[in-house]
Amino acid sequence: MRSSVVWACLAAALLPQSAVAVKEHDFKKCDQSGFCKRNRALADNAAASGADWASPYTVLADSASVKDGQFQATILKTINAQGDTVRLPLTVSFTQSGVARVTVDEERRQNKDIELRHDSKVRKERYNEAEKLVLVGGLELDKTAAVVEDDFEASTNQKVVRYGPEGQFEAHIQYSPFSVEFKRDGATEIKINDRGLFNMDHWRAKVEPKEGDATDAAANEDDGTLWEETFGGNTDTKPRGPESVGLDISFVGYDHVYGIPSHTGPLSLKETRGGDGKYSEPYRLYNLDVFEYILDSPMTLYGAIPFMQAHRQGSTVGVFWLNAAETWIDITKQKVKSNPMALGAGAETDTQTHWMSESGLLDVFVFLGPTTQDVLKNYGELTGYTALPQESAIGYQQCRWNYVSDDDVKDVDRKMDKFGIPYDIIWLDIEYTDGKKYFTWDEKFADPKGMVERLDEHGRKLVVIIDPHIKNVDNYPVVAEMKQKELAVKNKDGSIFEGWCWPGSSHWIDAFNPKAIDWWKTLFTYASFKGTAENVFIWNDMNEPSVFNGPETTMPKDNVHHDGWEHRDVHNLNGMTFHNATYQALLSRKAGELRRPFILTRSFFAGSQRLGAMWTGDNQASWDHLAAATPMLLSQGIAGFPFAGADVGGFFGNPDKELQTRWYQAGVFYPFFRGHAHIDSRRREPYMAGEPYTTIITAALRLRYSLLPAFYTAFHAAHTDGTPILKPLFYTHPDVESAFAVDDEFFVGSTGLLVKPIVDAGKEVAAMYIPDAEVYYDYFDYSVVPTEAGKVTQMPAPLDTIPVLMRGGHAFARRDQPRRSSQLMKFDDYTLVAALSKSGKAEGELYVDDGDSFDYEKGQYIHQRFVLEGSTVSSKAVDAPPKKAGKWLKAMDDVHVDKIVVVGAPASWSGFSAATVTSGGKTWTAPLDYVPPSGGRAAFAIVRHVGVRVGADWEVAVV
Ligand code: NOJ
């Protein structure tokens, strides 16, 4: 690196973060990334050549076999005009859940002969260990998958394999050129290499061009980026040369695609090859510290989930591109003249995607739905479901950079109590450490133990930040041990990598190394990390990793990780491995203590949902950032990682009070709900806002706390089968085309609550899109909202009102007594709320466990299903109770459903003043108030002092 660049970077590292705002040009565009440019050029060539385009990949017919749920063969790639070929082993696996997996590698035998271009310590193989870190199940092969057509000799030149739970899926594997068409019930849903863009840059020896000799360079197809690439003053040397993989994937008859977070644009992804309202850059997935990020952009952010869904009326399909290297995805849409299968509205469009990764295997999973939930379930079987969180972690979290002393923390805690503002966790950012040395305390935190004990008195917790950069300084045992045990990431020559981050000169733990995880665990024991206790949890930041003086603010791609893999191969996994190391460490803080870890991560990959929460990083205190958070969080949810939030109030800058208030009202519904602020911003704890704002924010926070049982139930669903916590309308209304692009409102779990955050200054009316003809009630005053299916309705939303509607047909449990923290509400009684549908029914559920241990895995939970039909409300256990109730479950014997609120109660209840309650063989009566409709308000009824155990089956009848 030139010395002027080094100095610019070092100076930047020392400035406060806001002073080094990163602009778009600090990050690569596709044409500044050699492999992206090459693969895009290939797509352009193919398009320009039309029918003359010939993909050079052919399946060797004799090599093909189908056995035990796998199709195996060798693909020959023709690499020059002389007809020389390289061999690429192909496997198409069919799983018992009906997922197809297409994997292409490069034959190792040849690779062994390849000389590395310089004396790097990297492995001579395509990276093939992503699956070890990402996949946790779902791989059992469907041994019944069978060839139903085998006519590669004939003109169709293909093998057809039938698979899937009811044999309703087919993979048509075409040999020459290689392509696969995936069908469901006879209709083509997904095609790969249909446009002939499959590309695997095969390994080759570098041909050094001789002076004045253009031919060698041409023979080597060298565009000047194959062996070395420079960006922003940093040169990436490529010891193995070019090794990108690209593939086109077409969704046939699908107009909408979703997923591939994290980006700031709309939920329904945009086209990326230019034109009105479209992007001209592909969506990029390369985890980076993009602070002050711009909105409505395909630019990369901190985390990457290469999982995409395509949706049309009544059908969702998807793909998961398992590759951890830098990845770009182009999206284009094509109108098709007629669709022979008459698939319904919206099906006259094909969405074509083009995936390009810098290295690694081609490893793509194909999901054929037919529902979004099916796709999410299958994806979750493979990559794991959302961790069931610590209950506190879904309460409100109070953070800023920084609370400056233990007295400061206690003062905030005291003031929150004084103003009656509930919260669960207070957070400490980097300044709590002694000189950014993690696992140490600054002298202003003289008594961390006392601080933590004080928080515990009200059931509150502390989160402290621990980043992956370890300060390179003398007399710091943590760095000394890491060096001595050789657990840090290395330079390409095998020496320890040094770069700059918050502490100045630093080294980075290589959490790909199992020994590094073992060592990391030792740092978190209560004995070792002094001042921490059971109620202390962790925040992992900067784990992309952020390296202030590195290329694009990250680690050089030619750095080397455990087992000789280049950073280039594993970059997008880096954040997850660090998150995982911390997760393992929290599990082993004390022998015999088995509590659920809670760790927030900034960087993530597919699978990170198993380990904790994410947030959308360094947003700004502006209305457009508030607006952008909703589609971003919806996108996380449908990409299998719903435990997501955005900094409430905005990280950079100072929100005015209206913005701050509206942000809290939106935050009430973020699965991860934390207020956070930059070090240069003014203090803005909710009690600082003044009236009427503090009261309005407090009311919003209390709403969140009353809804915690419903949120926890939604987390349980996410944990069990991948159901999103915030549900976009294409998910809840898969047949309603006008709902498919709606991304500024959402349903919450199974509550039927439809929420539209206000995201504009001065706005006092919410234009809410209503997807169906069901009855909708205002959540707060039970008025029946005038609605028309597929149309917008105007909801009054003055500053003290959050637009929340209850869709008829749903029931959920709530806790109405406000308290200081979720832990203090643990054994409070419940209120059951039921909003009757037009046909007079409501259904819902409640899941509850101790919110802390893993005992739920042994049946220590309550899971009840509520049904209101006619004149009866009933509650029935979803699963049989455990043989022996543990301490928590026994304590729940004293917790009751105290109240039942029925919105839209039938007029026939008007004559009743009591309801009959039956449970555990006993019958008693409970007082009932029926309030007739008035003005626009629906009738409602309240049954009081119901007195049924929440964990018991019961029935309440109005007869
Ligand atoms: C960057 C994070 O995104 C931000 O939330 C945090 O406050 C700073 N790092 C300081 O740790």
Side-chain angles (χ1 to χ4, degrees):
M1 209 200 285
R2 290 192 322 271
S3 62
S4 60
V5 175
V6 174
W7 280 113
C9 291
L10 296 190
L14 298 172
L15 286 172
Q17 204 172 21
S18 58
V20 286
V22 175
K23 299 288 175 265
E24 232 184 323
H25 58 254
D26 290 330
F27 297 98
K28 284 187 184 177
K29 294 267 172 40
C30 178
D31 68 358
Q32 293 164 315
S33 177
F35 77 92
C36 187
K37 187 176 177 189
R38 277 202 311 281
N39 279 282
R40 248 192 171 188
L42 177 95
D44 289 340
N45 268 339
S49 311
D52 294 338
W53 180 254
S55 169
Y57 297 85
T58 304
V59 175
L60 200 57
D62 311 342
S63 69
S65 67
V66 178
K67 198 170 158 237
D68 293 341
Q70 270 187 334
F71 169 91
Q72 283 181 315
T74 299
I75 295 176
L76 291 186
K77 174 186 180 187
T78 307
I79 58 169
N80 54 26
Q82 292 80 52
D84 292 331
T85 55
V86 291
R87 296 164 66 88
L88 310 173
L90 159 74
T91 310
V92 187
S93 313
F94 303 96
T95 75
Q96 286 175 9
S97 311
V99 177
R101 176 186 192 181
V102 181
T103 314
V104 184
D105 198 350
E106 189 167 349
E107 211 162 81
R108 306 260 159 83
R109 188 166 45 74
Q110 294 173 332
N111 296 351
K112 271 203 260 149
D113 305 334
I114 300 285
E115 285 304 318
L116 291 178
R117 205 172 50 81
H118 56 65
D119 187 22
S120 167
K121 303 289 173 210
V122 302
R123 227 155 121 157
K124 292 193 281 179
E125 244 174 296
R126 283 184 171 268
Y127 180 60
N128 54 19
E129 293 191 352
E131 69 170 344
K132 243 170 55 183
L133 298 168
V134 173
L135 303 183
V136 291
L139 292 175
E140 300 73 29
L141 293 173
D142 170 10
K143 302 211 167 128
T144 65
V147 177
V148 289
E149 221 175 291
D150 191 356
D151 54 0
F152 58 86
E153 302 285 2
S155 57
T156 50
N157 185 15
Q158 63 175 4
K159 243 193 214 329
V160 177
V161 179
R162 182 163 296 158
Y163 67 104
E166 275 133 47
Q168 76 273 45
F169 303 152
E170 278 172 12
H172 292 234
I173 305 167
Q174 189 186 287
Y175 285 15
S176 184
F178 163 67
S179 72
V180 190
E181 216 172 297
F182 293 93
K183 299 192 181 200
R184 188 183 69 218
D185 298 328
T188 301
E189 307 288 338
I190 293 180
K191 293 186 195 172
I192 66 175
N193 203 30
D194 173 51
R195 292 190 288 152
L197 310 185
F198 175 39
N199 176 43
M200 235 165 159
D201 285 335
H202 58 279
W203 281 31
R204 64 201 78 185
K206 179 165 166 60
V207 182
E208 297 291 351
K210 292 179 215 107
E211 192 103 3
D213 177 3
T215 9
D216 275 351
N220 200 28
E221 297 164 21
D222 195 347
D223 61 356
T225 64
L226 297 191
W227 305 93
E228 197 162 280
E229 220 171 313
T230 300
F231 179 76
N234 291 285
T235 297
D236 170 26
T237 69
K238 304 183 190 183
R240 296 177 306 211
E243 47 180 341
S244 82
V245 344
L247 181 70
D248 57 280
I249 303 177
S250 300
F251 299 99
V252 181
Y254 290 86
D255 201 359
H256 290 272
V257 282
Y258 309 99
I260 55 167
S262 181
H263 301 97
T264 55
L267 177 68
S268 175
L269 302 171
K270 287 193 183 181
E271 291 183 65
T272 60
R273 304 245 34 194
D276 255 5
K278 300 170 182 169
Y279 298 141
S280 49
E281 286 292 305
Y283 284 90
R284 189 181 187 202
L285 293 175
Y286 189 58
N287 297 345
L288 291 177
D289 182 357
V290 190
F291 43 81
E292 297 208 339
Y293 52 76
I294 53 168
L295 299 182
D296 194 9
S297 166
M299 244 179 108
T300 196
L301 286 176
Y302 312 89
I305 304 183
F307 170 40
M308 182 186 272
Q309 291 164 32
H311 183 74
R312 63 166 155 79
Q313 266 189 344
S315 174
T316 305
V317 295
V319 293
F320 170 42
W321 177 265
L322 179 49
N323 188 302
E326 177 182 351
T327 296
W328 300 77
I329 303 142
D330 261 321
I331 299 174
T332 49
K333 296 184 186 183
Q334 176 111 36
K335 288 270 167 235
V336 281
K337 284 193 196 71
S338 66
N339 191 314
M341 301 305 295
L343 295 170
E348 51 287 323
T349 303
D350 289 348
T351 296
Q352 303 178 324
T353 61
H354 184 200
W355 301 65
M356 306 162 256
S357 291
E358 185 176 10
S359 66
L361 303 180
L362 175 96
D363 199 1
V364 51
F365 294 78
V366 175
F367 310 101
L368 292 180
T371 68
T372 314
Q373 187 54 47
D374 293 332
V375 173
L376 282 171
K377 187 165 191 289
N378 286 336
Y379 171 77
E381 277 165 5
L382 294 168
T383 63
Y385 295 117
T386 302
L388 198 53
Q390 276 280 336
E391 195 179 17
S392 286
I394 66 168
Y396 171 62
Q397 332 257 325
Q398 184 60 48
C399 186
R400 77 168 277 111
W401 180 15
N402 222 93
Y403 291 117
V404 294
S405 64
D406 45 7
D407 279 342
D408 192 8
V409 168
K410 287 190 248 176
D411 187 51
V412 173
D413 184 64
R414 208 167 19 242
K415 292 210 174 100
M416 295 292 270
D417 281 352
K418 185 171 156 211
F419 285 83
I421 302 170
Y423 88 97
D424 264 72
I425 308 187
I426 189 158
W427 292 55
L428 291 179
D429 209 322
I430 46 177
E431 312 299 330
Y432 82 90
T433 59
D434 172 17
K436 319 288 185 299
K437 294 191 296 251
Y438 301 112
F439 308 101
T440 68
W441 296 87
D442 182 83
E443 59 189 16
K444 293 206 196 68
F445 290 83
D447 180 18
K449 190 163 168 279
M451 171 179 71
V452 160
E453 281 169 5
R454 168 71 176 279
L455 293 170
D456 192 43
E457 282 166 22
H458 297 147
R460 292 194 176 126
K461 319 233 140 107
L462 179 76
V463 164
V464 296
I465 198 167
I466 299 277
D467 290 352
H469 45 255
I470 305 297
K471 187 168 184 166
N472 175 24
V473 72
D474 290 342
N475 299 323
Y476 180 29
V478 175
V479 80
E481 268 184 40
M482 185 171 75
K483 279 167 133 171
Q484 183 260 323
K485 292 178 191 279
E486 294 199 42
L487 301 174
V489 182
K490 299 189 173 121
N491 291 310
K492 61 174 186 249
D493 63 4
S495 58
I496 189 167
F497 169 70
E498 186 258 354
W500 281 65
C501 206
W502 298 128
S505 173
S506 306
H507 300 301
W508 273 257
I509 174 180
D510 182 10
F512 287 88
N513 185 344
K515 290 205 176 102
I517 299 178
D518 288 342
W519 167 69
W520 197 240
K521 287 179 182 170
T522 65
L523 303 176
F524 284 83
T525 62
Y526 299 132
S528 156
F529 193 175
K530 297 266 184 317
T532 60
E534 286 183 20
N535 63 335
V536 178
F537 295 100
I538 303 296
W539 174 11
N540 283 163
D541 187 20
M542 314 299 273
N543 49 341
E544 296 74 23
S546 175
V547 179
F548 292 159
N549 59 338
E552 298 191 274
T553 331
T554 193
M555 205 166 254
K557 284 178 167 171
D558 47 14
N559 271 7
V560 182
H561 288 266
H562 173 63
D563 258 355
W565 296 114
E566 265 197 301
H567 185 69
R568 147 184 8 267
D569 298 322
V570 299
H571 175 86
N572 282 345
L573 273 166
N574 190 83
M576 179 162 110
T577 57
F578 181 60
H579 194 193
N580 174 53
T582 308
Y583 184 91
Q584 302 306 333
L586 288 201
L587 277 181
S588 60
R589 285 200 284 194
K590 187 175 154 197
E593 178 186 289
L594 253 191
R595 315 184 66 214
R596 289 175 232 171
F598 167 52
I599 306 146
L600 176 72
T601 183
R602 190 169 73 174
S603 187
F604 55 87
F605 191 67
S608 293
Q609 68 272 12
R610 309 188 296 259
L611 307 170
M614 63 69 73
W615 91 109
T616 61
D618 298 349
N619 59 2
Q620 294 187 33
S622 64
W623 289 95
D624 51 357
H625 272 263
L626 166 58
T630 308
M632 289 176 86
L633 301 185
L634 291 178
S635 181
Q636 284 293 134
I638 54 122
F641 194 173
F643 195 3
D647 284 349
V648 169
F651 179 68
F652 289 115
N654 296 299
D656 64 31
K657 305 221 166 135
E658 183 193 357
L659 173 60
Q660 189 186 359
T661 305
R662 288 303 196 188
W663 213 317
Y664 269 94
Q665 293 177 333
V668 164
F669 299 97
Y670 295 174
F672 172 67
F673 181 20
R674 183 185 73 154
H676 183 39
H678 186 267
I679 195 165
D680 292 339
S681 63
R682 289 193 289 275
R683 293 292 281 242
R684 56 162 107 123
E685 291 68 37
Y687 50 78
M688 303 277 293
E691 291 308 331
Y693 307 99
T694 295
T695 298
I696 298 173
I697 294 172
T698 306
L701 286 163
R702 287 186 177 175
L703 173 63
R704 168 66 168 225
Y705 274 79
S706 72
L707 293 174
L708 283 181
F711 270 97
Y712 198 71
T713 302
F715 268 94
H716 176 254
H719 171 74
T720 316
D721 65 6
T723 306
I725 292 164
L726 305 185
K727 294 174 173 166
L729 273 60
F730 88 85
Y731 176 97
T732 54
H733 292 77
D735 293 317
V736 181
E737 227 208 327
S738 57
F740 297 170
V742 174
D743 60 8
D744 54 0
E745 58 182 62
F746 48 82
F747 283 96
V748 180
S750 60
T751 58
L753 295 182
L754 177 61
V755 180
K756 170 149 188 168
I758 298 281
V759 297
D760 296 293
K763 193 145 198 182
E764 301 224 314
V765 174
M768 287 184 85
Y769 167 86
I770 305 294
D772 56 30
E774 189 46 85
V775 54
Y776 284 80
Y777 310 93
D778 183 295
Y779 178 71
F780 299 100
D781 66 12
Y782 307 159
S783 57
V784 178
V785 178
T787 59
E788 206 181 317
K791 295 268 156 42
V792 163
T793 191
Q794 305 294 334
M795 288 293 300
L799 188 62
D800 63 358
T801 304
I802 315 176
V804 183
L805 301 184
M806 287 190 277
R807 181 176 184 272
H810 302 262
F812 60 92
R814 201 170 72 180
R815 271 177 166 147
D816 285 344
Q817 172 73 43
R819 294 191 196 274
R820 295 185 237 221
S821 69
S822 70
Q823 298 317 290
L824 299 185
M825 299 168 82
K826 243 182 154 51
F827 297 111
D828 280 354
D829 284 349
Y830 292 89
T831 296
L832 175 64
V833 182
L836 286 202
S837 67
K838 280 184 165 168
S839 60
K841 284 189 202 150
E843 276 182 30
E845 57 174 331
L846 170 71
Y847 173 85
V848 50
D849 61 28
D850 68 13
D852 179 42
S853 75
F854 288 94
D855 289 354
Y856 67 91
E857 289 174 353
K858 297 179 218 130
Q860 301 294 317
Y861 60 81
I862 291 168
H863 191 182
Q864 296 291 124
R865 177 145 200 86
F866 310 117
V867 177
L868 196 163
E869 198 162 6
S871 293
T872 311
V873 193
S874 66
S875 172
K876 284 204 168 57
V878 173
D879 305 308
K883 287 210 175 70
K884 198 160 174 267
K887 196 165 156 232
W888 171 83
L889 202 49
K890 277 195 192 127
M892 288 301 284
D893 277 352
D894 293 331
V895 179
H896 298 95
V897 174
D898 178 54
K899 221 194 293 178
I900 301 174
V901 178
V902 180
V903 181
S908 60
W909 291 15
S910 66
F912 292 87
S913 59
T916 309
V917 184
T918 315
S919 185
K922 292 195 188 124
T923 299
W924 63 96
T925 58
L928 177 144
D929 293 330
Y930 173 86
V931 183
S934 156
R937 188 190 28 73
F940 67 95
I942 302 182
V943 188
R944 296 177 203 278
H945 312 304
V946 182
V948 283
R949 285 200 296 115
V950 67
D953 288 359
W954 49 261
E955 215 174 81
V956 172
V958 184
V959 278

